Amino acid sequence: MIKTITMPQLGESVTEGTISQWLIKKGDVVELYQPLLEVMTDKVNAEVPSSFSGQVETLLVEEGETVAVGTEICTIVVEGEAPTGRDDNNNDATVASETQTEEVDSNASPRLSPVVMRLAQEHQVPLDKVKGTGSGRRITKKDIQAYLSQTEHPVKVESVPTESEPDIAKSKWTKKEKPKPSFTADHEIPVTGIRKAIAENMVRSTTEIPHAWMMIEVDVTNLVNYRNAEKEAFKASEGYNLSYFAFFLNAVAKALKKFPQLNSSWQGDKIVQHKDINLSIAVGNDTELYVPVIKNVDEKSIKGIAKEVHVLAHKARHGQLSKADMEDGTFTMNNTGTFGSVQSMGVINYPQAAILQVESIVKRPVIINDMFAARDMVNLCLSLDHRILDGVICGKFMSHVKEILENISGDTTPIY
Amino acid sequence: MAVISYIEAINRAMREEMERDERVFILGEDVGKRGGVFKATEGLHEQFGDERVMDTPLAESAIAGVGIGAAMYGMIPVAEIQFADFILPAVNQIVSEAAKLRYRSNNDWTCPITIRAPYGGGVHGALYHSQSIEAIFASQPGLKIVMPSTPSDALGLLKAAIRDPDPVLFFEHKRAYRLLKEEVADDQDVIEIGKANRVLEGEDITVITYGLCVEFAKQAAEELKETGVSTELIDLRCVYPLDKETIIEASKKTGKVLLITEDNKEGSIISEVAAIVGEECLFDLDAPITRLAAPNVPAMPYAPPLEKAFMVDQEKIKSAMLKLAQF
């Protein structure tokens, strides 16, 4: 096989050398350590000995030429040595040929650093397609990054969740899908921050919780009349609206007091029934959804509830919600009626037991005592965690909510 | 704006703080008329007199102890230990008293003392004039250890140390005193203690070090830049407590981390940095965490070739950086 002799480094600060004389010519047979040539540097003149025994194949550099340390200067055909791929223990002047190194690599098992493993997993990178440029052809972090940018994968390089991000465990049930190729005209939106948190929560809720649904119809004519009678005066004195939602929150809190089974959460090996009634309310804008919490709703007046709804909605719209505002919810209410919905199936706010959607209040013909009447009707839709709750208890709960709402008046439900 | 040396920056910091607050005073061996053996306190005795620049006996325990007492009385002492090697007799005062005072008195008492001491080798100073002793104090909550790497940093950090309500050890590399010079702004700000400084921004390797090694690493990085290796260089500035956030961020950035100290390798400041990187950055590492430090021999050798072998220098740093970049 063919071995190469390179320009040796003759002295610590020497970077190049001039070949003053070749002592052999093409075709000569040389012995190990036999002088091959004379080299002149600015420090020394020296003979360069052969690192191998064999026949000189080519002289690559002419006499009088100056070349950098490490430049190949001649090749020698060495006989009787099989290309085992074993590294020669020869001096610096030897450089293993390209083909030989390739052979070494194909046999060696790849060494992967933790970051390379992680990036390869995250982006489904076939490692045998990545060219390694590290020592021993190791694939480096930069090699993976270069591969990713070449192959037009949407590169999401540093997406390590930091501690400050919402406390969502990396869900083992979120399957990593291979990124689809993007069409050039499409607008790509990186999934980060609150959107990512929402996505993870939703996937977790829908995959882990066996949802069941039920809906009841409630006649809220009394409530509508009562609220309409009070709303002008309330707005004038308090400065914010007397919303229907406050009455619904109040009614649900009362019902939860009676049916604490619904005010609970699934905690793996046990179900925890919460003493406090803290209602999460869904508040959103065009791109984001938050569920801030009104604490101890059962202890608050209609006015108190209306005020907190107003404050939390304001905070949500202006991005001022704090972590404390979002904590400790035990049951969620969603005011889907505001955008005209009359029926919906809510996704439970993990790890709570249920979520109640308050739909639009709609005037409809209803038969009362065999006569048609125009009544204000609303649908309440409940999604429940079927591991914690069953139909019977939820039916009773919903009937109770209905009863409270249908009997609302100044006497049963004072505003202050 | 004037070009000043590292030691001139230290002198200026003390002068300006003494002018600003008359509670600030200096004590130490030969700090008065002599102006300190390195001339760090030169001119201060003339300007501020006997009562504010005090020569002490050769008793480091007393220098620290008197300083701590004065600090408890509402003074702001700046104590000089002539060589960091000599600080050991004062360890009891520093560790058992100064560091613990706030905790022990449930916040009633504080100890705003600054203890300055020149450390480091490469000056042919041999055993008793070359040591790096920061690691001895670096496991003592209550203390802060500051080790500046440039004249500007020395000025800004020493002012911060003097103003700090708690004890600060301020270690100055004696070889840097007259080696490092730079333009320092006339109104150089106080530099917050506890925050590391990103000296260079880079993509290939992360080098974390402190003290004089920062300068060597900077020069090595400039040389390597020509070969296409870009270096993220972090100066810890404060070696205790460590700026974990910056360490983690810089380590994750390249995944290849080189830690450098002039101190013996075992149990050094960078050992703690390595532990932080190991704990926090595993899945971002692209190479083993690398430490470059002095060998584990008892002290700086006197013989020049051995001293050279012991010291971390620009060449050693450069070759360690290159090796890591090629990994």
Side-chain angles (χ1 to χ4, degrees), chain A residues 364-400:
Chain A
R364 284 220 309 270
V366 175
I367 296 173
I368 300 175
N369 297 332
D370 290 340
M371 285 189 292
F372 277 114
R375 305 292 291 178
D376 291 298
M377 304 300 292
V378 67
N379 291 330
L380 301 181
C381 303
L382 183 79
S383 306
L384 54 119
D385 182 340
H386 221 320
R387 295 172 303 184
I388 304 176
L389 302 166
D390 301 311
V392 174
I393 187 77
C394 292
K396 285 181 178 167
F397 168 78
M398 293 293 267
S399 305
H400 192 60

Side-chain angles (χ1 to χ4, degrees), chain A residues 111 113-116 118 133-135 138-142 158 160 163, chain B residues 203-204 230 252-256 280 282-287 326-327:
Chain A
R111 287 185 306 159
S113 72
V115 71
V116 168
R118 179 173 63 75
T133 62
S135 81
R138 184 184 76 91
I139 296 168
T140 66
K141 177 183 172 183
K142 287 203 145 187
E158 296 299 336
V160 185
E163 282 172 33
Chain B
E203 301 293 333
D204 295 309
S230 84
K252 284 185 173 175
K253 185 172 174 190
T254 69
K256 291 180 170 181
E280 305 286 346
L282 178 66
F283 294 107
D284 289 284
L285 287 181
D286 197 26
Q326 289 169 340
F327 181 83

